[in-house]
Amino acid sequence: MTIAVYGATGHTGKLVLAELARRDLDAVLVGRNAERLRAAGSPVRQASLDNEAQLADAFRDCSVVINCVAPFTRYGAPVIRAAIAAGVHYLDIAGEQTYIKSVFDTFAAEATDVTVIPMVNDGGFLADLLVGMLASPDAQDVVVVHRFSDVELSRGSARTALANRDLFTSGGLTFVDGQWRSGAPQKHTEMTFPGEETPVPLVKFAMPEIATIPRHLPARHVEGLAEQALSTAFTALTEDMIESFPESPGHAGTFTLLADVDGRRGVVDGADTYGITAVTVVEAAHRLITTGAKPGVLAPAQAFDPADFLDSLASRGVRTQA
């Protein structure tokens, strides 16, 4: 039951390796630079994104591939194709809305024997599960709000944000009457967070779970929102700024995810965004190995029982109120 980690030398990749070791799960490090991989751990298998046959061979005797290489809009598809060719389940930690949508659009017909789940992270993955836990089968209106505090971006996250700047500037996709639309008017302009009395002004933001929630919930309206500060931080990035970001950030930060489904609200919150991403994706990998999920490209709430998965994270400081 070996788990392949592609992108193990990055900040989150190293956290994933540490979490796998903590849980006594066998890992193999896969990537193009064998020297850097050996510095991060062992065993190592050298394989390039440019050679999908070689990449598939590196994955072939593994149970699950965890992809940590971003931006996923550039580097995600070759790893998915190689995992499918090798007959291995695939997970990634992407937060890129249009990439996640493209995974469903591109690979749904190909992933007939394996499970493919993009977006297994501290944000969209947990938000999708929260909505799945709150919603009734006839839910109509869904809004998800993200709040982050004292989070320092890693250099890799900054590169990803820059690669998707146009998406973040536009506010991303909204699901309206059976279609994903860009430029749809914002329906909700403010929200009151738990424990607070004053509503917080919100702006449209390209939240990744907007690409997954409509896969399991036929709501008429699904939108993602954030405080203005988050939108400004992402859209203000320039190429010249990238090297100023640390490879491994020193501030873990906190996150709060608020979901409102037809007036029924729930919240997931926790600390250490990168660390919780590692915990979440390793838990997902372990569940695919031990209990499985149906084949295909799946949203989080299609692959796992939402309440049970969220409850499993409580011991790691992730709180769910619903």
Side-chain angles (χ1 to χ4, degrees), residues 3 5 11 31 34 40 43 59-61 101 105 112 122 143-144 164 198 200 225 260 269 275 294 299 313 315 318 322:
I3 297 172
V5 181
H11 176 59
F59 295 156
R60 206 168 299 278
D61 61 346
K101 183 177 181 299
D105 295 342
T112 56
D122 68 305
V143 56
V144 184
N164 291 271
T198 305
V200 176
L225 305 172
D260 185 298
D269 61 16
K294 65 182 180 180
L313 302 177
S315 64
V318 177

mmCIF file of all heavy atoms in Angstrom, residues 3 5 11 31 34 40 43 59-61 101 105 112 122 143-144 164 198 200 225 260 269 275 294 299 313 315 318 322:
data_model
loop_
_atom_site.group_PDB
_atom_site.id
_atom_site.type_symbol
_atom_site.label_atom_id
_atom_site.label_comp_id
_atom_site.label_asym_id
_atom_site.label_seq_id
_atom_site.Cartn_x
_atom_site.Cartn_y
_atom_site.Cartn_z
ATOM 1 N N ILE A 3 2.159 4.903 -1.255
ATOM 2 C CA ILE A 3 1.592 6.151 -1.756
ATOM 3 C C ILE A 3 2.698 6.941 -2.442
ATOM 4 O O ILE A 3 3.734 7.232 -1.837
ATOM 5 C CB ILE A 3 0.974 6.970 -0.610
ATOM 6 C CG1 ILE A 3 -0.189 6.184 0.023
ATOM 7 C CG2 ILE A 3 0.500 8.332 -1.112
ATOM 8 C CD1 ILE A 3 -0.735 6.807 1.276
ATOM 9 N N VAL A 5 4.225 10.304 -3.940
ATOM 10 C CA VAL A 5 4.091 11.751 -3.760
ATOM 11 C C VAL A 5 4.861 12.431 -4.876
ATOM 12 O O VAL A 5 6.090 12.324 -4.959
ATOM 13 C CB VAL A 5 4.618 12.203 -2.386
ATOM 14 C CG1 VAL A 5 4.437 13.714 -2.222
ATOM 15 C CG2 VAL A 5 3.901 11.452 -1.265
ATOM 16 N N HIS A 11 7.034 22.891 -0.237
ATOM 17 C CA HIS A 11 6.664 23.076 1.164
ATOM 18 C C HIS A 11 5.566 22.102 1.596
ATOM 19 O O HIS A 11 5.722 21.360 2.579
ATOM 20 C CB HIS A 11 6.211 24.520 1.395
ATOM 21 C CG HIS A 11 5.729 24.785 2.786
ATOM 22 N ND1 HIS A 11 6.526 24.596 3.898
ATOM 23 C CD2 HIS A 11 4.520 25.205 3.252
ATOM 24 C CE1 HIS A 11 5.844 24.895 4.988
ATOM 25 N NE2 HIS A 11 4.626 25.262 4.624
ATOM 26 N N GLY A 31 9.706 12.429 -9.017
ATOM 27 C CA GLY A 31 9.925 13.745 -9.609
ATOM 28 C C GLY A 31 11.069 13.706 -10.588
ATOM 29 O O GLY A 31 11.673 12.658 -10.842
ATOM 30 N N ALA A 34 16.284 13.909 -9.088
ATOM 31 C CA ALA A 34 16.553 12.850 -8.115
ATOM 32 C C ALA A 34 17.361 13.354 -6.931
ATOM 33 O O ALA A 34 17.146 12.922 -5.786
ATOM 34 C CB ALA A 34 17.281 11.692 -8.793
ATOM 35 N N ALA A 40 14.988 15.070 0.355
ATOM 36 C CA ALA A 40 13.709 15.116 1.071
ATOM 37 C C ALA A 40 13.341 13.775 1.683
ATOM 38 O O ALA A 40 12.554 13.718 2.639
ATOM 39 C CB ALA A 40 12.598 15.579 0.128
ATOM 40 N N PRO A 43 12.197 5.987 -0.570
ATOM 41 C CA PRO A 43 12.884 5.786 -1.853
ATOM 42 C C PRO A 43 12.469 6.819 -2.890
ATOM 43 O O PRO A 43 11.447 7.472 -2.750
ATOM 44 C CB PRO A 43 12.439 4.375 -2.257
ATOM 45 C CG PRO A 43 11.084 4.232 -1.634
ATOM 46 C CD PRO A 43 11.155 4.968 -0.335
ATOM 47 N N PHE A 59 4.565 5.106 -11.073
ATOM 48 C CA PHE A 59 3.380 4.991 -10.223
ATOM 49 C C PHE A 59 2.821 3.565 -10.150
ATOM 50 O O PHE A 59 2.033 3.253 -9.268
ATOM 51 C CB PHE A 59 2.250 5.885 -10.759
ATOM 52 C CG PHE A 59 2.534 7.362 -10.727
ATOM 53 C CD1 PHE A 59 1.874 8.220 -11.605
ATOM 54 C CD2 PHE A 59 3.436 7.909 -9.832
ATOM 55 C CE1 PHE A 59 2.106 9.578 -11.584
ATOM 56 C CE2 PHE A 59 3.684 9.278 -9.801
ATOM 57 C CZ PHE A 59 3.015 10.116 -10.688
ATOM 58 N N ARG A 60 3.221 2.686 -11.052
ATOM 59 C CA ARG A 60 2.443 1.493 -11.355
ATOM 60 C C ARG A 60 2.196 0.553 -10.176
ATOM 61 O O ARG A 60 1.133 -0.055 -10.074
ATOM 62 C CB ARG A 60 3.092 0.727 -12.507
ATOM 63 C CG ARG A 60 2.081 -0.116 -13.289
ATOM 64 C CD ARG A 60 2.661 -0.619 -14.583
ATOM 65 N NE ARG A 60 3.057 0.426 -15.498
ATOM 66 C CZ ARG A 60 2.229 1.067 -16.325
ATOM 67 N NH1 ARG A 60 0.938 0.776 -16.298
ATOM 68 N NH2 ARG A 60 2.683 1.991 -17.145
ATOM 69 N N ASP A 61 3.130 0.403 -9.253
ATOM 70 C CA ASP A 61 2.910 -0.512 -8.132
ATOM 71 C C ASP A 61 2.430 0.215 -6.878
ATOM 72 O O ASP A 61 2.438 -0.350 -5.782
ATOM 73 C CB ASP A 61 4.182 -1.302 -7.824
ATOM 74 C CG ASP A 61 5.345 -0.398 -7.413
ATOM 75 O OD1 ASP A 61 5.248 0.830 -7.624
ATOM 76 O OD2 ASP A 61 6.346 -0.927 -6.896
ATOM 77 N N LYS A 101 -12.434 22.319 -12.479
ATOM 78 C CA LYS A 101 -13.538 22.064 -13.412
ATOM 79 C C LYS A 101 -13.038 21.271 -14.624
ATOM 80 O O LYS A 101 -13.721 20.355 -15.109
ATOM 81 C CB LYS A 101 -14.180 23.369 -13.862
ATOM 82 C CG LYS A 101 -15.379 23.179 -14.789
ATOM 83 C CD LYS A 101 -16.019 24.502 -15.131
ATOM 84 C CE LYS A 101 -17.232 24.286 -16.044
ATOM 85 N NZ LYS A 101 -16.903 23.645 -17.316
ATOM 86 N N ASP A 105 -14.258 17.765 -16.609
ATOM 87 C CA ASP A 105 -14.620 17.827 -18.023
ATOM 88 C C ASP A 105 -13.730 16.938 -18.884
ATOM 89 O O ASP A 105 -14.188 16.356 -19.870
ATOM 90 C CB ASP A 105 -14.525 19.274 -18.524
ATOM 91 C CG ASP A 105 -15.525 20.201 -17.853
ATOM 92 O OD1 ASP A 105 -16.503 19.698 -17.266
ATOM 93 O OD2 ASP A 105 -15.315 21.436 -17.903
ATOM 94 N N THR A 112 -12.218 5.228 -15.495
ATOM 95 C CA THR A 112 -13.231 4.185 -15.337
ATOM 96 C C THR A 112 -12.850 3.128 -14.307
ATOM 97 O O THR A 112 -13.720 2.390 -13.826
ATOM 98 C CB THR A 112 -13.498 3.498 -16.687
ATOM 99 O OG1 THR A 112 -12.257 2.986 -17.192
ATOM 100 C CG2 THR A 112 -14.090 4.481 -17.682
ATOM 101 N N ASP A 122 -7.226 22.277 2.576
ATOM 102 C CA ASP A 122 -7.880 22.860 3.747
ATOM 103 C C ASP A 122 -9.019 23.801 3.379
ATOM 104 O O ASP A 122 -9.739 24.270 4.258
ATOM 105 C CB ASP A 122 -6.856 23.640 4.584
ATOM 106 C CG ASP A 122 -6.374 24.886 3.857
ATOM 107 O OD1 ASP A 122 -5.897 24.755 2.708
ATOM 108 O OD2 ASP A 122 -6.480 25.987 4.420
ATOM 109 N N VAL A 143 -24.050 29.459 -0.713
ATOM 110 C CA VAL A 143 -22.960 30.432 -0.711
ATOM 111 C C VAL A 143 -21.893 29.942 0.258
ATOM 112 O O VAL A 143 -22.206 29.468 1.351
ATOM 113 C CB VAL A 143 -23.437 31.849 -0.335
ATOM 114 C CG1 VAL A 143 -24.134 31.866 1.015
ATOM 115 C CG2 VAL A 143 -22.282 32.838 -0.332
ATOM 116 N N VAL A 144 -20.652 30.020 -0.171
ATOM 117 C CA VAL A 144 -19.528 29.625 0.672
ATOM 118 C C VAL A 144 -18.595 30.823 0.797
ATOM 119 O O VAL A 144 -18.240 31.456 -0.199
ATOM 120 C CB VAL A 144 -18.767 28.421 0.096
ATOM 121 C CG1 VAL A 144 -17.670 27.982 1.064
ATOM 122 C CG2 VAL A 144 -19.708 27.264 -0.178
ATOM 123 N N ASN A 164 -2.913 32.367 -11.945
ATOM 124 C CA ASN A 164 -4.373 32.437 -12.037
ATOM 125 C C ASN A 164 -4.908 33.841 -11.744
ATOM 126 O O ASN A 164 -6.076 33.994 -11.386
ATOM 127 C CB ASN A 164 -4.998 31.438 -11.058
ATOM 128 C CG ASN A 164 -4.768 29.996 -11.441
ATOM 129 O OD1 ASN A 164 -5.545 29.406 -12.171
ATOM 130 N ND2 ASN A 164 -3.678 29.424 -10.942
ATOM 131 N N THR A 198 -21.578 42.232 13.609
ATOM 132 C CA THR A 198 -21.610 43.085 12.434
ATOM 133 C C THR A 198 -21.377 42.279 11.167
ATOM 134 O O THR A 198 -20.398 41.526 11.082
ATOM 135 C CB THR A 198 -20.529 44.182 12.532
ATOM 136 O OG1 THR A 198 -20.701 44.895 13.762
ATOM 137 C CG2 THR A 198 -20.621 45.147 11.361
ATOM 138 N N VAL A 200 -20.047 41.260 7.552
ATOM 139 C CA VAL A 200 -18.786 41.537 6.877
ATOM 140 C C VAL A 200 -19.060 41.721 5.383
ATOM 141 O O VAL A 200 -19.672 40.853 4.752
ATOM 142 C CB VAL A 200 -17.802 40.372 7.086
ATOM 143 C CG1 VAL A 200 -16.517 40.598 6.301
ATOM 144 C CG2 VAL A 200 -17.499 40.192 8.567
ATOM 145 N N LEU A 225 -17.406 33.475 -2.059
ATOM 146 C CA LEU A 225 -17.133 34.850 -1.650
ATOM 147 C C LEU A 225 -15.960 34.899 -0.684
ATOM 148 O O LEU A 225 -15.590 33.901 -0.069
ATOM 149 C CB LEU A 225 -18.370 35.463 -0.971
ATOM 150 C CG LEU A 225 -19.691 35.443 -1.751
ATOM 151 C CD1 LEU A 225 -20.827 35.915 -0.853
ATOM 152 C CD2 LEU A 225 -19.596 36.318 -3.002
ATOM 153 N N ASP A 260 -23.628 28.620 3.716
ATOM 154 C CA ASP A 260 -25.052 28.886 3.934
ATOM 155 C C ASP A 260 -25.817 28.165 2.819
ATOM 156 O O ASP A 260 -25.624 28.460 1.637
ATOM 157 C CB ASP A 260 -25.326 30.392 3.895
ATOM 158 C CG ASP A 260 -26.769 30.725 4.243
ATOM 159 O OD1 ASP A 260 -27.671 30.282 3.497
ATOM 160 O OD2 ASP A 260 -27.003 31.452 5.224
ATOM 161 N N ASP A 269 -13.488 25.536 10.946
ATOM 162 C CA ASP A 269 -12.341 26.416 11.140
ATOM 163 C C ASP A 269 -11.186 25.647 11.759
ATOM 164 O O ASP A 269 -11.347 24.556 12.303
ATOM 165 C CB ASP A 269 -12.681 27.657 11.969
ATOM 166 C CG ASP A 269 -13.177 27.345 13.372
ATOM 167 O OD1 ASP A 269 -12.982 26.206 13.845
ATOM 168 O OD2 ASP A 269 -13.753 28.231 14.011
ATOM 169 N N GLY A 275 -0.437 22.802 6.911
ATOM 170 C CA GLY A 275 -0.396 21.566 7.686
ATOM 171 C C GLY A 275 -1.691 20.785 7.599
ATOM 172 O O GLY A 275 -1.685 19.551 7.467
ATOM 173 N N LYS A 294 -16.063 4.881 -5.310
ATOM 174 C CA LYS A 294 -16.406 4.462 -6.665
ATOM 175 C C LYS A 294 -15.436 5.094 -7.669
ATOM 176 O O LYS A 294 -14.861 6.154 -7.409
ATOM 177 C CB LYS A 294 -17.841 4.860 -6.989
ATOM 178 C CG LYS A 294 -18.094 6.363 -7.026
ATOM 179 C CD LYS A 294 -19.560 6.647 -7.314
ATOM 180 C CE LYS A 294 -19.821 8.160 -7.353
ATOM 181 N NZ LYS A 294 -21.248 8.453 -7.631
ATOM 182 N N ALA A 299 -16.294 14.646 -6.675
ATOM 183 C CA ALA A 299 -16.259 15.719 -5.685
ATOM 184 C C ALA A 299 -16.029 15.097 -4.314
ATOM 185 O O ALA A 299 -16.323 13.909 -4.102
ATOM 186 C CB ALA A 299 -17.570 16.494 -5.707
ATOM 187 N N LEU A 313 -11.074 14.873 11.490
ATOM 188 C CA LEU A 313 -10.068 15.938 11.579
ATOM 189 C C LEU A 313 -10.117 16.698 12.897
ATOM 190 O O LEU A 313 -9.266 17.554 13.150
ATOM 191 C CB LEU A 313 -10.245 16.928 10.418
ATOM 192 C CG LEU A 313 -10.157 16.331 9.005
ATOM 193 C CD1 LEU A 313 -10.426 17.419 7.977
ATOM 194 C CD2 LEU A 313 -8.807 15.688 8.762
ATOM 195 N N SER A 315 -9.402 15.826 15.894
ATOM 196 C CA SER A 315 -8.223 15.631 16.739
ATOM 197 C C SER A 315 -7.028 16.453 16.264
ATOM 198 O O SER A 315 -6.053 16.612 16.997
ATOM 199 C CB SER A 315 -7.842 14.136 16.780
ATOM 200 O OG SER A 315 -7.452 13.695 15.485
ATOM 201 N N VAL A 318 -9.350 20.801 13.724
ATOM 202 C CA VAL A 318 -10.356 21.307 12.776
ATOM 203 C C VAL A 318 -11.729 21.143 13.411
ATOM 204 O O VAL A 318 -12.155 20.023 13.702
ATOM 205 C CB VAL A 318 -10.272 20.560 11.432
ATOM 206 C CG1 VAL A 318 -11.382 21.046 10.496
ATOM 207 C CG2 VAL A 318 -8.914 20.739 10.801
ATOM 208 N N ALA A 322 -22.351 22.710 12.777
ATOM 209 C CA ALA A 322 -23.418 22.684 11.776
ATOM 210 C C ALA A 322 -24.749 22.315 12.446
ATOM 211 O O ALA A 322 -24.757 21.709 13.511
ATOM 212 C CB ALA A 322 -23.094 21.686 10.681
#
